[in-house]
Amino acid sequence: MPRRCGVPLRMTSLGTIGSGNIGSTVARLAVAAGHDVVLSNSRGPDTLRELAAEIGARAGTTADAAAADVVLVTVPLEVYPDLDPELLAGKVVLDTMNYYPQRDGQIAELDDKRSTTSGLLQAHAPQAKVVKAFNNIYFKHLLNLARPEGDPERSPLLIAGDDESAKALAGSFIGSLGYDVLDTGSLAESWRFERDRPAYAAAYGTFENEAGAPITAERLQELLDEAVR
C-alpha cells in the first residue's frame, strides 16, 4: 500500500547532479514545497543560472549539489562511472537513471540481469544510500500530477532501496512534492519499474496527454506484478 509521509521531513535542501527534464522538474517541485535547491551539471554553474533564476533555485558545482541533504542523480547512465563516490558517501541518493543501450552502450551486468541500474550506482558509491525514484514517469506528468495530501487524485511514485531510513526520508521528500509512495522493496527488485516494464512511463498516461492520468497504488502494484525479467 502507498506510504504517506509517515516520518517528519528533516531535510531542508536538495542537490541535483544533472539538471535535464527530470532533474529540473523535481527541482521545480522542491522549490515550490519550500526546499532549498542547488542545481548542477557537467558544464558548470554558468550554464544553469537562467534556469535557477526561473525556478528559484541556486546554480552550483557538483560538489555543491552533493553537499545537500538529499542528492538527486539524474544523468545518462553511461556517465555514472564519472561521479566521485566520495562526494556521495553517507548521502541519501535518489537515482533516476535508465538504461538505453543505444545511448549508453551495452552494459553486461544489465544485459545478463546480474544487476539493476541503481545496483550499479550503489556498487560504484558503496557508502551512499541509494534509492531508486522518479525514473518511471514522464517529466511533464511528474509536474502536472502533483496533488496535495488528501486529494483523491493523488498518485503514488515508486521507490526501491536497501536502507530503510533512506527510503523513509525519500518517501517524506516525495510526499512534500505532491505524491504518495509505493515501496517496492530492495534495489534488487527495482528492475520491476525499469525501462519497458509495465509500470514504466505509460502507467501515468500517454505522452500526448501532458496532464497525465492519476493512478492508484493498487493499479501500480498490478503492473509491478506483471513485470517479467
Side-chain angles (χ1 to χ4, degrees):
M1 295 301 294
R3 174 190 292 167
R4 295 187 184 273
C5 299
V7 298
L9 183 58
R10 297 185 178 90
M11 67 163 285
T12 59
S13 59
L14 172 76
T16 76
I17 299 179
S19 298
N21 289 334
I22 287 290
S24 61
T25 300
V26 174
R28 192 181 298 273
L29 291 171
V31 169
H35 302 297
D36 179 40
V37 176
V38 182
L39 303 174
S40 77
N41 64 18
S42 60
R43 299 183 301 280
D46 287 344
T47 66
L48 291 168
R49 298 202 191 281
E50 183 175 346
L51 173 63
E54 176 195 340
I55 68 176
R58 294 182 289 121
T61 65
T62 299
D64 294 331
D69 297 320
V70 171
V71 182
L72 186 79
V73 171
T74 180
V75 298
L77 185 64
E78 63 178 336
V79 304
Y80 87 87
D82 297 334
L83 298 174
D84 182 353
E86 293 301 317
L87 289 178
L88 303 179
K91 293 292 182 177
V92 173
V93 175
L94 306 183
D95 165 39
T96 80
M97 295 186 295
N98 287 305
Y99 179 35
Y100 292 91
Q102 66 272 28
R103 177 197 66 192
D104 304 316
Q106 299 298 140
I107 300 175
E109 295 94 328
L110 300 180
D111 291 339
D112 63 17
K113 302 176 177 60
R114 279 180 287 148
S115 186
T116 62
T117 53
S118 290
L120 292 178
L121 180 60
Q122 184 67 82
H124 177 70
Q127 296 184 65
K129 302 172 184 178
V130 176
V131 178
K132 190 71 174 179
F134 300 115
N135 70 296
N136 72 315
I137 185 169
Y138 181 42
F139 76 98
K140 291 184 179 179
H141 295 165
L142 178 61
L143 179 66
N144 293 324
L145 286 175
R147 301 286 190 274
E149 185 147 15
D151 190 302
E153 291 194 335
R154 183 166 158 118
S155 297
L157 295 180
L158 300 173
I159 63 170
D162 297 336
D163 186 288
E164 292 301 321
S165 64
K167 287 196 288 187
L169 181 57
S172 291
F173 171 62
I174 290 169
S176 75
L177 304 189
Y179 291 89
D180 291 335
V181 167
L182 181 59
D183 183 350
T184 68
S186 68
L187 290 181
E189 291 298 308
S190 62
W191 66 269
R192 294 183 180 277
F193 57 103
E194 288 182 337
R195 184 176 68 89
D196 292 341
R197 298 308 195 282
Y200 182 82
Y204 295 92
T206 64
F207 291 152
E208 292 76 18
N209 175 17
E210 294 184 0
I215 190 170
T216 65
E218 291 75 16
R219 179 55 184 153
L220 266 182
Q221 186 62 60
E222 289 174 356
L223 295 174
L224 290 168
D225 292 341
E226 291 172 10
V228 176
R229 199 172 190 188

